[in-house]
């Protein structure tokens, strides 16, 4: 039996490094094409599994080579894939360019991710887990049904509202843990988020809507933990950035694993910061996700 069920996307990431992002209408030359396992759902599943918790993934891939790549990588990271269905649609893909500063720009083609349906997440079909983890790269109606099913089963809900979009109040209210970045927080609340103080104000607006704990990821600025009792800014670890792709996913998987091991919230956010920082030091999404030993080494420094 798994501790965490991730309900979300699996993408083949088609990645090219560039010196700078092209302007509209401009053609520029990049480096070699890399085809790597990605997708926010699958990344978070692998991120948590590499920290030693047992993880199951629910989603869809196509009957194609990209589907094989994604399933193979999940399995080699000990993620249970029995709830990943193969669909007639193509496997989801992400076209990613990464610039010389490690920043990225991503275009998604949802493919089979767009076919994950409410029928896939009926309460009876969900395994008995301690935590369900969602993002927003599958249809929103499926996320809503799955969150309702998790609530019905008495399971804690962790939501990473990415990519940014407006959400029904019931989803925010039902979230035990809500983990937006600054852009997502701004979109969810309509409040400008430009520093730690404004992030705290916006996070409090989500608490007022019913979320229990809000953790805002702030990139190189670390993370902000906000509950009704506390607001705590936890700084980032300083590392040499190669590629920021999946840093947020590493943070979320790491945070989930630390919570399940029994860490207090602040300690779990510090652990997650270490996971996120290490993921930026390597190229690609799933290939960059750190294991437990690497995280513990950074924490000891
Ligand atoms: O969060 C990073 C991920 O976003 C990439 O792996 C890409 O697949 C997109 O889903």
């Amino acid at each position: 039996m798994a501790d965490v069920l991730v309900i979300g996307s699996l993408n083949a990431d088609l990645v090219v490094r560039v010196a700078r992002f092209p302007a509209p209408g401009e053609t520029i030359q990049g480096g070699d094409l890399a085809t790597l396992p990605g997708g926010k759902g699958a990344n978070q599943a692998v991120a948590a599994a590499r920290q030693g918790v047992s993880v199951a993934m629910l989603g869809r891939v196509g009957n194609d080579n990209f589907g094989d790549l994604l399933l193979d990588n999940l399995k080699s990271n000990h993620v249970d894939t029995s709830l990943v269905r193969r669909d007639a649609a193509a496997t989801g893909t992400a076209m990613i360019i990464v610039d010389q500063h490690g920043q990225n720009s991503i275009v998604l083609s949802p493919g089979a991710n767009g076919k994950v349906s409410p029928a896939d997440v009926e309460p009876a079909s969900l395994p008995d887990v301690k935590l369900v983890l969602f993002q927003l790269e599958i249809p929103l109606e499926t996320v809503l049904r799955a969150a309702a099913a998790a609530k019905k089963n008495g399971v804690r809900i962790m939501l990473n509202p990415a990519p940014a979009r407006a959400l029904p109040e019931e989803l925010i209210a039902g979230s035990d843990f809500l983990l937006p970045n600054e852009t997502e927080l701004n979109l969810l609340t309509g409040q400008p988020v430009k520093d730690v103080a404004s992030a705290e104000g916006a996070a409090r607006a989500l608490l007022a809507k019913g979320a229990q704990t809000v953790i805002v990821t702030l990139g190189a600025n670390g993370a902000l933990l906000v509950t009704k009792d506390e607001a705590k800014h936890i700084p980032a670890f300083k590392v040499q950035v190669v590629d920021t792709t999946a840093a947020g996913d590493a943070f979320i998987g790491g945070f989930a694993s630390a919570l399940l091991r029994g860490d207090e919230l602040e300690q779990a956010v510090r652990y997650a910061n270490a996971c996120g920082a290490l993921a930026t030091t390597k190229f690609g999404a799933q290939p960059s996700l750190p294991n437990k030993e690497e995280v513990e080494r950074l924490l000891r420094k």
Side-chain angles (χ1 to χ4, degrees), residues 58 60 85 113-122 139 141-142:
L58 188 155
R60 293 196 190 202
R85 288 174 58 172
N113 296 311
K115 302 291 174 62
V116 184
S117 77
D120 294 354
V121 296
E122 288 303 329
E141 57 170 346
T142 305

Side-chain angles (χ1 to χ4, degrees), residues 269-293:
V269 173
R270 187 165 180 272
Y271 193 90
N273 269 347
C275 295
L278 286 167
T280 69
T281 63
K282 291 184 189 156
F283 181 65
Q286 285 167 43
S288 75
L289 299 169
N291 61 33
K292 199 159 180 266
E293 290 68 39

Side-chain angles (χ1 to χ4, degrees), residues 11 13 38-40 43 94 96 106 108 137 245-246 249 285:
N11 292 327
D13 289 353
K40 293 186 195 305
N43 294 346
I96 304 181
I106 304 180
L108 292 176
E137 288 185 339
T245 308
D249 300 327

Side-chain angles (χ1 to χ4, degrees), residues 5-300:
L5 174 65
V6 180
I7 300 180
S9 58
L10 305 95
N11 292 327
D13 289 353
L14 309 180
V15 197
V16 175
R17 295 205 76 123
V18 292
R20 61 173 177 83
F21 295 118
E26 185 186 16
T27 301
I28 61 168
Q29 189 132 354
D32 290 341
L33 175 72
T35 304
L36 302 170
K40 293 186 195 305
N43 294 346
Q44 292 175 24
V46 170
R50 286 197 182 154
Q51 299 312 313
V53 296
S54 59
V55 183
M57 172 94 211
L58 188 155
R60 293 196 190 202
V61 293
N63 281 310
D64 46 22
N65 292 343
F66 288 166
D68 293 341
L69 168 82
L70 286 155
L71 286 172
D72 287 350
N73 200 55
L74 287 177
K75 285 177 193 156
S76 65
N77 282 284
H78 311 290
V79 175
D80 178 348
T81 58
S82 51
L83 295 172
V84 180
R85 288 174 58 172
R86 300 208 79 151
D87 193 280
T91 295
T93 46
M95 319 293 293
I96 304 181
I97 51 177
V98 179
D99 78 0
Q100 61 182 325
H101 306 295
Q103 299 302 312
N104 63 41
S105 176
I106 304 180
V107 177
L108 292 176
S109 174
N113 296 311
K115 302 291 174 62
V116 184
S117 77
D120 294 354
V121 296
E122 288 303 329
S125 63
L126 299 183
D128 188 14
V129 293
K130 295 178 179 148
L131 185 72
V132 180
L133 179 48
F134 303 101
Q135 319 73 31
L136 302 174
E137 288 185 339
I138 59 171
L140 184 60
E141 57 170 346
T142 305
V143 174
L144 288 170
R145 182 73 66 88
K151 269 272 171 275
K152 187 163 181 276
N153 290 349
V155 176
R156 286 191 295 175
I157 293 173
M158 188 175 287
L159 173 65
N160 169 220
R165 59 164 296 165
L167 289 178
E169 301 251 321
E170 67 194 272
L171 193 55
I172 294 171
S175 296
D176 297 283
F177 303 96
L178 191 53
L179 294 99
N181 65 16
E182 293 147 289
T183 311
E184 292 144 11
L185 181 59
N186 167 253
L187 203 136
L188 288 176
T189 62
Q191 298 189 21
V193 179
K194 47 187 186 338
D195 50 26
V196 172
S198 55
E200 182 185 337
R204 291 211 175 278
L206 295 178
L207 294 183
K209 289 182 180 178
Q212 297 297 305
T213 297
V214 178
I215 295 152
V216 188
T217 53
L218 302 165
N221 250 335
L224 176 70
L225 163 67
V226 188
T227 68
K228 68 178 179 17
D229 304 317
E230 64 176 331
K232 180 96 190 164
H233 175 221
I234 298 140
F237 291 86
K238 298 268 177 283
V239 289
Q240 194 73 42
V241 175
V242 170
D243 176 6
T244 55
T245 308
D249 300 327
F251 180 100
I252 289 160
F255 177 70
S257 72
L259 272 188
L260 287 166
R261 279 200 306 269
D263 280 8
E264 295 297 330
L265 282 174
E266 187 179 332
Q267 197 183 1
V269 173
R270 187 165 180 272
Y271 193 90
N273 269 347
C275 295
L278 286 167
T280 69
T281 63
K282 291 184 189 156
F283 181 65
Q286 285 167 43
S288 75
L289 299 169
N291 61 33
K292 199 159 180 266
E293 290 68 39
E294 291 170 312
V295 178
E296 285 171 352
R297 205 177 311 130
L298 179 61
L299 286 166
R300 277 196 301 273

